[in-house]
Amino acid sequence: MATTEILKTTNLQKSFSGIIAAEDINISVKEGEIIGIIGANGAGKTVFVNMITGYLKPTSGSIEFNGKNITGIKPREATHIGVCRSFQVSQVFMSMTVKQNLMIAMSLSKKSGSALLDPINDDILSKECDKILKQYNIIKQKDLVVSTLSQGMRKLLDIAMAVVGNPKILLLDEPTSGVSVEEKFGIMDIVISALKESGTTVLFVEHDMEIVERYVDRVMAFYQGQIICDAPPKQALKDKKVIQYVLG
Amino acid sequence: MQFLITVLLDGLIYASYLFIVSLGLTITFGVMKILNVAHGGFFAWGAYLASISIIYLGDNEYNSFLYYFAIFLSAIIVGLFFGYIIEKFILRKMYNEDIHLIVLATFGLFWILEDLILHVFGVDPLMPYYPAMELGGIEVGGIFQGVYSLTLAGLAIIVAFICWYFLKKTKYGKVLQSVIFDREVSVSMGINVTKVYLITFIIGGMLGALGGAYIAPTISVSPGFAIDVVVMSFAVVVIGGMGSVPGALIGSLIVGLVRAFAVHQAPILELFIIYAIMAIVLIIKPEGLFAPPKPRKI
Amino acid sequence: MFKGILKEQTIQVGIGFVFIVVLLGTFILPEWMSNNFMYGLSRGLAVLGLMILWRTNLVSFGHALYYGFGAYAVAIAQKYLGVTDVFLRILIAIAAAGLLGFVLGFILRRYREIFFAMLSLAFSMVLYGLLAKAEFLGSTDGMSISPSTMFGFELGRFGLFYFIGFVVILSLIFAHAYLRSSLGHLTTAIMDNEIRVEYLGYSVEKAIHIKYVISACLAGGAGGLMAAALGQVDPDSMVLWSVSGELVFVTIMAGLGNILAPFVGAIFFEFIRTYAYEFAPQAWQMIIGGTLLAIIFFLPGGLWSLFQKINPFKKEKK
C-alpha cells in the first residue's frame, strides 16, 4: 500500500565557507516509513534536517516532496505543505503555559486570515487540545509555565506542537536527547504510536541504538557529511562501516 | 571658495567636539552594552563646573593656563564623581535586566542630573568666554576664526590618539577589547569585569564632561542645553557603529560636515538631514558603518 | 472577533473605570484636576500602543512620531480642509498615523532590540526636523487648533471629554479583542521564540507588522485627541525625542499587566507632573526621574502590580 515516494533528495550538498557539512545526499523515502538517522556528532544529521525543513539553504542539489521541488523554501512554507519538525533543543514558548503553547500551535494550523482574530480560547479547540495533551501525557502540567518543566516534558510538548500541524512528514531532531533514561521509551512509545495512527512519515535523529532498533523501518547512517549506509536496522547495525564510524 | 572654507572650518570644529562626546558614549556602549542617556548629564555638568571655575578665576591673562587646568579638572571630577556613583549604585544592579530598562534608568538619571544643575548653579546662563577671548582670532582663507575653537580640533586629535594607543598598544587596552568582544569568555579568563565596567563608565563620563567643559567658553551655558547634544551623539554613534571607536570618528565627521553645510546652505534641512542619515545608515547597515566584530554564538 | 467581549471582566472594569474618570472630570473636580484626567486618558492611548509593542519586547524610542503625526494631521486638516468635526478629526489622526506606520512597518519589522529602538528614534527625529523648520506649519511655534464640533455644533470642553471617553472605550475593546485572539497571543510567542513561530507556519514579520500598525494607530489617535484637548500642536511638545521618552516612561511605570494600566499610568503621570511643577518647579524633572528609578528598582511590574494586590477581582494576567 505505502509505496508512493514522498521525499527525495538528489546530490544534496551544503558547505559553510568552504567547509563541507553534507554532500552527495541521495535518499528516497516512502510514505509511512519510519526512518532513524544515526551518526556521530558533526556527521551532518542536523544539517540534513535543517535543509529539508528550510532552515538552511542547500549549496547545491535538490529536494523533492511529493514530486514537487521544494529546495530552499522558507520554514513556514515547509510547514504549510506538511513538512514539520521538532528540535534538538526544545523550541517552545518558555514564558507561557503548556496549554497556551499547544493552543497557539493548533490555532495557527487550523485557522487563517481573519479567523486568527477570533479569541484563542474557543471551546472546541480547547477540548481537542486537552485530548492531545492527554495523549502525550502532559495533561497534568497543562497550566504550568513551560520554563518550570523537565527536559522530557518540553520535548514532548515540542513534538506535540509539530504534530498538530498535521504533517505529512515529520523530522524529529534527537527527540530523546537530554531526557532521562526512564522517560526515553515513554516518549517514543507515545510519539510513534500517535504518528503511526495518522500514517505520518517520520525521520528521526537518534543516538540511542536500542531506540533505533525498536522503532524504525530503516536506518540512514551519516559520517562526515555523507550517508554511508541506508538499510533496515538489523542489517545496518551489523554493517562494518557503521560499526567502525558510528557505533565504534 | 569662501563658502567651502567656512563649511569645512565649522564642520571640523563641530565634528571635533562631537567626537569627544560620542567617544565616551560609544566606549560605554561597546564595553557595557549600555546606551547611556545620562551622558548628556555628564556633558552639562562638565560645562557648568568648568564655567564657574573659569568665571571664578576671572579675566586673568597671566594665569591663562589655569583656565585649561580648570577645564580638564572639571571633566575629571565630574566623570569620577557621577560615574562612580551611577555605576556602582545603580547600573551595577541592572546588568541582567532588559536592555531597554537600562536605557530608561539612564534617562531618569539624565533628568535628575539636569535638575541638580538648576539647584547647584542656578538658572542664569553662564558665559565663561575669557579663554576664548584671550586667544583671539586669525584669518583662515579670508575667514575670521576664533583660535580657541581651532584648539578643539587639536584636542580631538590628541584624544583620538590616546584612545588608539591605549586600545592597541597597552595591556589594559587588550583586556578591554576582549571584554568588548565577549564578556562571558573574559570572565572565564579571569578578567575582573566589574572593575573594567566601573573604570569604563568613569572614563566615558569624563569624555562627555570634557566635551562640555571645553566647549563652554565658546557658548552661553544655560539649563537644558545638553538635550540636543545627547541625541546628536546618539546619531553619531549609530552612524559610525555602536561601540566602534573609528566609527565615532567617521560618524562625527559626517554629522559635523553635513550639519555645517546645511546650516550655511540650507538651514531648513539642519536637523532633518542628520537624522535622515541616521535612518538611512540603520536601514542599509544596521550595525553602523564600522561595526565592531561580534563573537559567533552557536 | 468581538464575540462576547462585553462579558469579559477586563472590558467591564475598563468601561467602569472610564465612566468614573469622565464623571469625576466633568462634574466633580476643578478644571485643573480634570484636565489631568482628560490628558491622561488621551495620552494613555499612545501608552497602550507602546505596551502592545513592548509585549513582543519591541520598545520604540520614537513613538512620538505617530503621536505627533496624528496631532499634525488634525491641524493640517483644519488648516487646508476646514475640518473641525471631532469624528473626522480622530479618524484622520488614526488613518494618517496608521498609514505612516504601515509604510515604515515594512522596514521596522525586520529590526529588534536596540536597533528597533534607534531606528524608531531616527524616524521620529526626521519628522521633528521637518516640522521644526516647516514655516507653513508654524515651525517651532506650531499651530493652534480651533474648538471641535460635532454635526456642526461646538462640542465644548465637557463634550470633548465624553468623546475622549468614548474613543478610549472603543480602543480598549479593540485592543482586548486583539490581545485575546490567536494573533494577539503570537505577540508573547514571538518574544519567546521566533523560530518556532515560523515553524508553526506564521510569518513573524507579518505578525510584527500588524502589531506595529495597531500601535501606530493608537498613538496617532492619542495625538489627535490631545491636539483637540490642548487646542495647540507644536513639535517640541509632540514630536521631540523627550516626548517619546516620556511615553516609554509611562509604559514602564504603568506596567504591562493589563490594558487598563496605560490609562491609570498616564493619569498618574499627569498628576505627578502638575504637582511637581506646581510645588517644586525647579525639581519636577528630578521627581520624575526619581520616580522612574524607584519603579524600575522597587516595582518592576509597574503601578498595575499594586492594583493586582488589592484587586478584588483577582484578575489573571492576560
Side-chain angles (χ1 to χ4, degrees):
Chain A
M1 174 52 210
T3 46
T4 5
E5 183 181 63
I6 188 165
L7 183 75
K8 184 184 165 187
T9 67
T10 320
N11 295 327
L12 205 57
Q13 187 186 336
K14 177 74 197 174
S15 55
F16 297 100
S17 46
I19 299 160
I20 290 170
E23 67 176 334
D24 292 335
I25 298 195
N26 294 293
I27 60 154
S28 168
V29 179
K30 291 190 183 69
E31 214 178 321
E33 268 191 303
I34 293 179
I35 293 174
I37 297 172
I38 60 173
N41 285 325
K45 307 179 303 282
T46 297
V47 171
F48 170 73
V49 171
N50 283 345
M51 281 193 288
I52 304 288
T53 55
Y55 191 70
L56 289 174
K57 215 176 171 159
T59 313
S60 64
S62 69
I63 305 165
E64 269 173 48
F65 173 73
N66 271 339
K68 255 189 289 175
N69 187 349
I70 60 158
T71 321
I73 54 169
K74 291 195 181 103
R76 61 170 181 275
E77 292 163 348
T79 304
H80 287 161
I81 57 170
V83 179
C84 298
R85 70 174 293 182
S86 77
F87 299 84
Q88 197 172 344
V89 178
S90 312
Q91 301 289 327
V92 286
F93 307 124
M94 289 295 213
S95 68
M96 301 175 147
T97 66
V98 171
K99 185 159 180 184
Q100 280 172 337
N101 266 270
L102 199 61
M103 285 293 274
I104 285 184
M106 290 173 74
S107 60
L108 283 184
S109 78
K110 295 195 164 50
K111 296 176 181 174
S112 64
S114 63
L116 282 173
L117 284 170
D118 291 337
I120 196 165
N121 291 321
D122 109 26
D123 287 343
I124 306 165
L125 210 60
S126 175
K127 276 194 191 121
E128 210 178 317
C129 181
D130 285 347
K131 215 172 95 191
I132 294 168
L133 289 173
K134 209 175 267 171
Q135 190 182 7
Y136 281 81
N137 205 15
I138 38 179
I139 185 82
K140 278 190 205 125
Q141 291 80 13
K142 72 173 183 178
D143 289 323
L144 292 181
V145 173
V146 172
S147 56
T148 62
L149 295 186
S150 74
Q151 280 293 341
M153 285 177 187
R154 281 186 215 170
K155 285 262 169 181
L156 274 173
L157 178 61
D158 188 299
I159 295 167
M161 284 168 79
V163 172
V164 295
N166 291 322
K168 297 198 177 72
I169 183 166
L170 182 64
L171 294 97
L172 304 172
D173 196 354
E174 305 201 13
T176 65
S177 74
V179 175
S180 66
V181 183
E182 308 90 72
E183 277 180 304
K184 269 189 183 184
F185 286 99
I187 288 184
M188 290 310 287
D189 278 342
I190 291 168
V191 173
I192 298 292
S193 67
L195 290 168
K196 272 201 167 146
E197 210 172 286
S198 58
T200 312
T201 312
V202 185
L203 275 77
F204 69 93
V205 176
E206 185 54 67
H207 284 293
D208 189 326
M209 291 311 141
E210 243 181 287
I211 286 181
V212 172
E213 255 189 306
R214 187 183 302 190
Y215 296 103
V216 309
D217 303 327
R218 184 145 67 102
V219 170
M220 292 176 186
F222 275 68
Y223 175 70
Q224 292 193 343
Q226 291 180 328
I227 295 181
I228 52 167
C229 178
D230 183 348
K234 284 209 173 109
Q235 199 180 326
L237 296 181
K238 282 181 195 134
D239 185 280
K240 257 195 215 154
K241 276 201 235 161
V242 172
I243 290 171
Q244 183 181 352
Y245 294 125
V246 180
L247 307 176
Chain B
M1 192 60 204
Q2 196 94 348
F3 166 73
L4 200 68
I5 293 173
T6 317
V7 168
L8 269 179
L9 274 178
D10 274 12
L12 284 177
I13 288 165
Y14 193 67
S16 310
Y17 139 78
L18 266 183
F19 171 69
I20 297 169
V21 180
S22 317
L23 183 64
L25 197 63
T26 211
I27 289 178
T28 316
F29 184 86
V31 177
M32 306 163 78
K33 302 288 171 281
I34 286 182
L35 205 53
N36 181 20
V37 183
H39 203 62
F42 284 99
F43 173 86
W45 267 87
Y48 266 97
L49 199 58
S51 298
I52 55 151
S53 315
I54 290 169
I55 290 169
Y56 175 78
L57 289 169
D59 187 2
N60 184 348
E61 58 184 295
Y62 300 107
N63 285 325
S64 60
F65 80 94
L66 278 179
Y67 294 144
Y68 298 93
F69 184 69
I71 286 171
F72 286 102
L73 196 64
S74 305
I76 290 169
I77 290 173
V78 169
L80 262 180
F81 183 71
F82 289 115
Y84 184 82
I85 292 179
I86 292 175
E87 204 282 338
K88 180 143 190 192
F89 296 107
I90 293 175
L91 296 181
R92 188 171 293 178
K93 300 190 167 51
M94 298 192 70
Y95 290 129
N96 296 323
E97 298 274 359
D98 185 64
I99 185 163
H100 305 111
L101 274 188
I102 304 182
V103 177
L104 262 184
T106 65
F107 191 35
L109 287 166
F110 173 66
W111 269 333
I112 293 172
L113 289 177
E114 279 276 284
D115 257 8
L116 276 178
I117 282 180
L118 296 182
H119 289 273
V120 177
F121 301 103
V123 289
D124 297 327
L126 303 176
M127 277 177 270
Y129 54 85
Y130 312 128
M133 196 179 67
E134 196 170 87
L135 288 181
I138 50 163
E139 246 188 49
V140 184
I143 315 267
F144 181 81
Q145 177 63 55
V147 173
Y148 182 84
S149 300
L150 289 177
T151 61
L152 197 57
L155 180 68
I157 293 170
I158 294 170
V159 168
F161 178 77
I162 293 174
C163 186
W164 171 82
Y165 185 84
F166 174 77
L167 282 176
K168 297 285 173 195
K169 301 284 172 190
T170 65
K171 194 182 124 206
Y172 291 109
K174 283 175 186 143
V175 167
L176 204 61
Q177 280 185 319
S178 77
V179 176
I180 292 176
F181 192 67
D182 194 326
R183 182 184 166 189
E184 278 110 61
V185 172
S186 308
V187 173
S188 65
M189 275 160 52
I191 292 171
N192 184 346
V193 172
T194 312
K195 204 166 146 195
V196 171
Y197 276 22
L198 178 62
I199 293 171
T200 305
F201 195 75
I202 287 174
I203 291 177
M206 280 179 187
L207 284 166
L210 180 62
Y214 208 86
I215 199 79
T218 66
I219 57 171
S220 151
V221 180
S222 51
F225 85 116
I227 286 197
D228 295 335
V229 179
V230 188
V231 200
M232 202 64 100
S233 48
F234 269 31
V236 167
V237 168
V238 166
I239 289 171
M242 286 187 266
S244 155
V245 173
L249 188 66
I250 302 294
S252 317
L253 281 172
I254 293 175
V255 171
L257 290 171
V258 168
R259 182 179 174 275
F261 181 81
V263 166
H264 290 287
Q265 192 63 21
I268 204 165
L269 296 179
E270 182 193 336
L271 275 167
F272 160 79
I273 192 134
I274 287 159
Y275 298 104
I277 294 176
M278 175 178 171
I280 291 167
V281 168
L282 272 171
I283 291 168
I284 298 169
K285 221 164 170 284
E287 309 273 322
L289 297 176
F290 286 83
K294 274 200 170 157
R296 252 189 69 173
K297 307 249 179 195
I298 304 159
Chain C
M1 175 178 185
F2 298 107
K3 201 178 139 211
I5 197 154
L6 290 176
K7 286 187 199 130
E8 298 228 8
Q9 201 171 49
T10 312
I11 291 301
Q12 287 173 351
V13 174
I15 292 175
F17 170 80
V18 174
F19 264 104
I20 291 170
V21 167
V22 171
L23 286 179
L24 276 177
T26 46
F27 289 118
I28 296 165
L29 297 173
E31 186 166 328
W32 69 271
M33 254 176 144
S34 129
N35 273 342
N36 285 336
F37 279 119
M38 185 152 80
Y39 301 156
L41 273 190
S42 309
R43 284 159 61 101
L45 280 183
V47 179
L48 177 61
L50 269 178
M51 182 192 100
I52 287 177
L53 273 181
W54 205 315
R55 291 233 180 139
T56 315
N57 212 20
L58 294 170
V59 181
S60 166
F61 287 164
H63 232 46
L65 173 64
Y66 300 106
Y67 180 68
F69 202 70
Y72 266 83
V74 167
I76 291 168
Q78 181 193 318
K79 186 174 175 188
Y80 293 100
L81 303 171
V83 174
T84 55
D85 188 88
V86 75
F87 282 107
L88 282 177
R89 278 187 163 165
I90 187 78
L91 285 179
I92 288 170
I94 291 175
L99 193 66
L100 183 64
F102 177 69
V103 173
L104 295 182
F106 283 103
I107 302 170
L108 276 160
R109 66 186 198 176
R110 294 185 278 127
Y111 291 73
R112 304 289 181 273
E113 292 201 332
I114 204 74
F115 298 106
F116 181 87
M118 286 287 106
L119 189 55
S120 310
L121 173 70
F123 282 140
S124 76
M125 287 305 285
V126 165
L127 181 70
Y128 176 81
L130 289 173
L131 290 176
K133 297 283 179 178
E135 268 166 38
F136 69 103
L137 296 177
S139 310
T140 44
D141 293 336
M143 298 155 86
S144 62
I145 306 285
S146 58
S148 299
T149 58
M150 192 184 274
F151 312 121
F153 297 101
E154 195 164 307
L155 201 52
R157 198 174 157 278
F158 284 5
L160 183 64
F161 209 145
Y162 294 135
F163 182 74
I164 291 173
F166 168 71
V167 173
V168 168
I169 288 174
L170 284 187
S171 309
L172 282 174
I173 291 175
F174 186 82
H176 186 67
Y178 168 69
L179 287 173
R180 72 172 185 168
S181 73
S182 309
L183 203 56
H185 274 79
L186 269 186
T187 60
T188 326
I190 288 170
M191 182 174 88
D192 273 4
N193 197 328
E194 291 194 16
I195 295 175
R196 174 51 107 174
V197 173
E198 285 280 333
Y199 272 109
L200 289 178
Y202 202 82
S203 160
V204 168
E205 289 191 353
K206 190 170 155 197
I208 287 179
H209 201 161
I210 293 171
K211 164 191 283 275
Y212 189 74
V213 173
I214 292 174
S215 178
C217 287
L218 286 167
L225 292 180
M226 272 309 263
L230 289 170
Q232 159 82 18
V233 298
D234 66 274
D236 278 351
S237 67
M238 296 210 145
V239 199
L240 193 62
W241 67 275
S242 50
V243 180
S244 304
E246 266 172 31
L247 291 175
V248 175
F249 163 44
V250 179
T251 315
I252 203 65
M253 184 177 79
L256 306 176
N258 186 292
I259 52 170
L260 255 190
F263 299 94
V264 176
I267 292 171
F268 185 73
F269 179 75
E270 294 295 331
F271 271 96
I272 317 181
R273 184 153 64 175
T274 316
Y275 269 106
Y277 205 75
E278 180 88 15
F279 297 110
Q282 308 225 337
W284 72 276
Q285 295 192 86
M286 210 185 297
I287 292 169
I288 289 178
T291 313
L292 176 54
L293 286 176
I295 297 257
I296 291 175
F297 274 98
F298 304 116
L299 204 59
L303 288 177
W304 193 257
S305 58
L306 284 180
F307 279 86
Q308 266 172 328
K309 279 177 203 151
I310 53 166
N311 183 0
F313 302 111
K314 278 278 171 212
K315 214 36 223 141
E316 177 202 5
K317 187 183 164 193
K318 235 205 94 45

